[in-house]
Amino acid sequence: MEAFQWQQARSPAEAAALVTQTTAEAMLTLQGTPSAQQAILVKAGGVDMLDLMKEGLVNPRRLVDISRLAELQGISREGDDSLRIGALTTLAQIAAHPGLRQSHAALAQAAAMAASPQIRNRATLGGNLLQRPRCWYLRSAAHHCLRKGGGHCFAFAGDNRYHAIFANHGCAIVHPSTPATALLAFHAQVELLHPQGQRRQVPLEDFFVLPEADMHRENILAAGEILTAVWLPPQIQTNRSIYLQVAEREAFDWPLAAVAVVVDLDAAGLCQRASIVLGAVAPAPWRARQAEALLTGATINGKTAEAAGEAALAGATPLAQNAYKLPLLATLVRRAVLAAAALPQDPRAS
């Protein structure tokens, strides 16, 4: 890690005005791009930023610290019953929040399963959504991959055990955020602040960027913009949700596959609406639209839950070493759908 300056931001607007590049831009080494050594970058919890600096992937001239800005912290319920979660709210605070655990259970569960207790007490929601992918080729200074301005993706011919099985053409990263999977299932929006003070809200589904649209970044955050909050729309009383994941270890590990399910059941048990989002299997949280359509208007039972699990695999293009994610996903979706509907699991099923 090289020497750098440190500056404490006094307001979000000041931080936005100071920052010259996004982290993704600072990692680019294409001819003609600004030197990463001249970048001024923003730091919140610092979990990912300090990792990248220690690995020699970014060497900013200055870090602008926003971690003490009170207006970016906390969870509040607005007049229309929507929820605003400040970007500096920690994952531990989200996991423990009584209101979220009741109205947005899948989000609280996803936050509780991220990383380790130590990291959850430091990592912020905004930083978690904006962190760079954990692909070992992207994280290696010795590999000049596509995402850093190089010529090709090393994962296709290399070790791709943990890479994407959806939308993996050209670049096979998976999005690393567990809360993002649940947030998309709740149709969340992100609030972005421009240096001139203008704010805009963007649906989370539109915020993330697939490699086919832009090979060098995971989201549409522009240089000088600050992610200030996440907004959750009001939930109706009949909504039920759950987040499930499977990993090689129960703690301090990245999921191999994950799913967030939100269903709205009427008094007769019919599913009025379903939202099924897959995690750790695509460059962005992945909507399982065919599975959602299959459940909408149907009675949820073992048969429809199993069919939803199979439908969630539509469009998958596994690589040489990660086809094992297919049965994992199908099983996770089936279990999550039954659990969200509060139905017992079939002990004979895998």
Side-chain angles (χ1 to χ4, degrees), residues 255-315:
L256 301 172
V259 61
V261 171
V262 181
V263 292
D264 173 22
L265 303 182
D266 67 13
L270 287 178
C271 179
Q272 299 300 305
R273 283 170 292 275
S275 183
I276 301 176
V277 180
L278 312 178
V281 291
W286 190 254
R287 287 277 301 276
R289 297 184 186 277
Q290 290 193 27
E292 294 173 349
L294 187 148
L295 289 181
T296 302
T299 299
I300 294 180
N301 53 36
K303 184 177 180 180
T304 52
E306 185 170 1
E310 292 301 320
L313 306 181

Side-chain angles (χ1 to χ4, degrees), residues 14-346:
E14 181 186 56
L18 288 168
V19 171
T20 61
Q21 289 183 306
T22 65
T23 306
E25 289 170 337
M27 289 178 66
L28 274 177
T29 52
L30 281 170
Q31 184 177 3
T33 58
S35 169
Q37 282 75 20
Q38 298 303 312
I40 300 176
L41 304 178
V42 68
K43 182 207 76 72
V47 175
D48 191 36
M49 178 61 68
L50 294 179
D51 276 350
L52 294 172
M53 292 174 68
K54 287 186 288 186
E55 291 159 1
L57 297 171
V58 293
N59 296 298
R61 174 167 58 93
R62 186 191 313 169
L63 283 183
V64 177
D65 181 22
I66 62 171
S67 64
R68 300 181 186 179
L69 299 179
E71 60 194 278
L72 302 186
Q73 300 173 7
I75 302 170
S76 59
R77 191 173 295 276
E78 304 301 308
D80 62 353
D81 215 29
S82 62
L83 285 175
R84 182 185 187 274
I85 306 177
L88 293 182
T89 306
T90 67
L91 300 188
Q93 290 169 331
I94 292 171
H97 192 272
L100 284 177
R101 293 173 69 173
Q102 181 175 2
S103 63
H104 297 78
L107 175 58
Q109 292 159 356
M113 292 184 188
S116 66
Q118 297 92 332
I119 291 177
R120 289 195 295 272
N121 276 283
R122 183 63 184 170
T124 65
L125 179 60
N128 184 272
L129 294 175
L130 297 176
Q131 64 183 305
R132 299 308 312 273
R134 299 290 160 166
C135 170
W136 34 50
Y137 300 111
L138 175 68
R139 296 271 171 168
S140 167
H143 291 83
H144 189 40
C145 74
L146 271 175
R147 215 150 192 85
K148 295 182 291 189
H152 67 282
C153 176
F154 293 91
F156 289 103
D159 191 339
N160 51 49
R161 286 171 290 164
Y162 306 131
H163 286 74
I165 61 172
F166 295 100
N168 55 5
H169 307 295
C171 176
I173 60 154
V174 298
H175 200 278
S177 172
T178 52
T181 305
L183 286 169
L184 184 54
F186 286 116
H187 306 291
Q189 296 192 348
V190 292
E191 177 185 281
L192 306 177
L193 174 67
H194 191 269
Q196 274 68 52
Q198 305 96 321
R199 295 179 187 266
R200 59 174 177 143
Q201 287 191 18
V202 180
L204 195 62
E205 191 166 12
D206 298 332
F207 180 67
F208 293 123
V209 176
L210 293 175
E212 63 189 36
D214 193 323
M215 190 62 69
H216 302 133
R217 58 180 181 163
E218 296 78 54
N219 55 68
I220 63 169
L221 188 77
E225 281 189 320
I226 300 292
L227 196 160
T228 52
V230 173
W231 288 84
L232 290 164
Q235 296 297 296
I236 57 178
Q237 296 268 341
T238 49
N239 269 4
R240 307 177 185 184
S241 70
I242 192 168
Y243 172 88
L244 296 177
Q245 69 177 41
V246 61
E248 292 179 329
R249 297 181 300 181
E250 283 295 316
F252 205 8
D253 202 2
W254 305 98
L256 301 172
V259 61
V261 171
V262 181
V263 292
D264 173 22
L265 303 182
D266 67 13
L270 287 178
C271 179
Q272 299 300 305
R273 283 170 292 275
S275 183
I276 301 176
V277 180
L278 312 178
V281 291
W286 190 254
R287 287 277 301 276
R289 297 184 186 277
Q290 290 193 27
E292 294 173 349
L294 187 148
L295 289 181
T296 302
T299 299
I300 294 180
N301 53 36
K303 184 177 180 180
T304 52
E306 185 170 1
E310 292 301 320
L313 306 181
T317 54
L319 304 177
Q321 299 169 14
N322 66 3
Y324 70 89
K325 290 192 175 191
L326 296 173
L328 284 183
L329 268 183
T331 300
L332 277 176
V333 170
R334 176 180 60 79
R335 290 178 177 175
V337 168
L338 290 175
L343 294 174
Q345 304 285 331
D346 183 350

